[in-house]
Amino acid sequence: MIILDTHAWIWWLTESPKLSKKAIETIQNNTIIGITAISCWELSMLVAKNRIELSMDVQIWMSLAFQHPKAKLLPLTPEIAVLSTRLPGEFHGDPADRLIVASSLLHKVPLISKDEKIKRWGYLPVIW
């Protein structure tokens, strides 16, 4: 399994050229693609704030997204919530990023993300 950051999830399903070859290969070589529950909220907020536009209603988009045979919704558990507040080193304060990273750490899997802050943090394998 791997986990996708919110932007990587959108790019994967829309077949965006913004995904790197390495990210695409990693996705193709994994049978489970983890999507965190917080990514559903983050995507909804991006749409609500007109920061991105989907070709359909966001709820329909997500419903269809989770019909993909590889996509697995990862719940927000108490362990992930607590871990997100105890990340080692200096991690920035964005709650969505903290929960996505904590999910990757808890599941012991890499994260596909273009987020430079997460990559520089250095405590998690990040593919981009």
Side-chain angles (χ1 to χ4, degrees), residues 2 4 8 11-12 15-30 33 70 112 127-128:
I2 57 162
L4 302 186
W11 294 346
W12 170 48
E15 299 180 351
S16 172
K18 294 179 181 178
L19 272 179
S20 70
K21 280 186 177 184
K22 185 172 183 178
I24 292 168
E25 287 172 8
T26 303
I27 291 168
Q28 289 171 342
N29 292 330
N30 276 272
I33 310 302
K70 288 187 173 193
I112 293 184
I127 297 165
W128 196 250

Side-chain angles (χ1 to χ4, degrees), residues 1-6 33-39 74-77 79-81 83-84 87 91 96-113 118 121 123-127:
M1 179 171 79
I2 57 162
I3 292 178
L4 302 186
D5 202 344
T6 306
I33 310 302
I35 309 300
T36 63
I38 195 70
S39 286
L74 302 176
L76 173 56
T77 65
E79 294 165 305
I80 291 168
L83 181 56
S84 75
L87 297 175
F91 196 86
D97 285 350
R98 294 184 78 86
L99 291 165
I100 291 167
V101 164
S103 296
S104 289
L105 289 172
L106 185 78
H107 291 286
K108 297 179 173 69
V109 297
L111 175 67
I112 293 184
S113 177
I118 296 173
W121 178 58
Y123 290 88
L124 175 71
V126 178
I127 297 165

Side-chain angles (χ1 to χ4, degrees), residues 53-57 61:
E53 188 176 317
L54 300 174
S55 61
M56 62 191 75
D57 181 77
W61 191 94

